[in-house]
Amino acid sequence: MEKDAILILSGGLDSTTLLYDYRERIALALSFDYGSKHNAREIPFARLHCQRLGIEHITIPLKFMAQYFDSSLLEGGDDIPEGHYAADNMKSTVVPFRNGIMLSVAVGMAESRHLKAVMMANHGGDHTIYPDCRPEFVEAFDQAAQAGTFDGVRLLSPYTHLTKADIARRGKQLGIDYSETWSCYKGGQRHCGRCGTCIERREALAEAGITDTTDYEA
């Protein structure tokens, strides 16, 4: 298969699975250092997996987001809330239009390299809390990318209608060691085990029948 796509790769469970799932197609993986509290924990895993698969990896700095945007996910923001994603307080972790900004950069990179597509690993569990993960956003951005590039770059999001447990099941088939991924929004030395993304990670791995070897604080 022709390598014709760029993947936005955080180093988390979802995008790492997509990296392995579509590795025959991915020419370049992009990580973004946008000043989140957990960038320093995620990005080394993104780099590790790309090195392992022989896929080019670039980290692009977007530190202006932490300087000007309001989100508890960012350095200098409020404390990361604890509890399930279903709780309203988790909305504080939304970084306004984060995916839109990253996708715009990725589409520009794809056009520059004459690649056909940009891939993102949003999933069904993201839809309620993150507006720029919803199917209607994906469809609209895909149309915008095609209209705004000479090569008609497409946005592909194969996991949009899957659950995180579905993604973990796919990772299990691919033999991914999820201890080599990072989820916790707090960005400490260990996963806190209490924030929304830690809880979601635990539930997904359990539902997928994967032994969770993540090092949690609690």
Side-chain angles (χ1 to χ4, degrees), residues 135-189:
E136 54 266 37
F137 168 81
V138 172
E139 292 166 9
F141 199 97
D142 176 42
Q143 292 177 4
Q146 291 180 73
T149 55
F150 288 114
D151 294 338
V153 176
R154 300 295 306 268
L155 171 58
L156 307 178
S157 54
Y159 295 165
T160 294
H161 299 289
L162 300 183
T163 66
K164 201 176 191 78
D166 292 331
I167 295 170
R169 289 187 191 96
R170 178 59 182 151
K172 184 178 182 180
Q173 294 172 344
L174 293 165
I176 297 172
D177 179 0
Y178 283 124
S179 70
E180 297 179 329
T181 62
W182 187 268
S183 296
C184 183
Y185 280 167
K186 294 187 180 184
Q189 292 302 307

Side-chain angles (χ1 to χ4, degrees), residues 37-129:
K37 293 171 180 173
H38 64 310
N39 273 157
R41 303 295 292 162
E42 284 185 313
I43 292 174
F45 283 124
R47 188 181 305 116
L48 168 71
H49 290 290
C50 286
Q51 289 173 344
R52 189 171 289 167
L53 295 176
I55 294 172
E56 182 182 1
H57 176 258
I58 296 174
T59 299
I60 295 179
L62 296 175
K63 290 296 183 68
F64 72 88
M65 295 173 71
Q67 184 177 357
Y68 296 113
F69 290 14
D70 181 26
S71 171
S72 64
L73 195 66
L74 300 173
E75 293 289 352
D78 293 339
D79 291 342
I80 297 292
E82 296 182 355
H84 202 279
Y85 267 127
D88 284 343
N89 66 355
M90 288 305 296
K91 289 183 179 179
S92 77
T93 65
V94 174
V95 179
F97 209 60
R98 175 184 63 178
N99 283 346
I101 294 166
M102 294 178 181
L103 287 168
S104 295
V105 174
V107 168
M109 289 282 287
E111 179 87 329
S112 297
R113 294 193 176 207
H114 301 290
L115 298 172
K116 296 179 180 179
V118 170
M119 306 187 78
M120 65 183 293
N122 61 308
H123 62 85
D126 294 331
H127 299 171
T128 300
I129 192 170

Side-chain angles (χ1 to χ4, degrees), residues 12-13 164 178-184 191 196-206 212 214 216:
L13 186 154
K164 201 176 191 78
Y178 283 124
S179 70
E180 297 179 329
T181 62
W182 187 268
S183 296
C184 183
H191 282 71
T197 188
C198 278
I199 293 171
E200 183 189 46
R201 177 189 180 97
R202 278 178 148 160
E203 291 176 347
L205 292 175
D212 191 352
T214 306
Y216 296 106

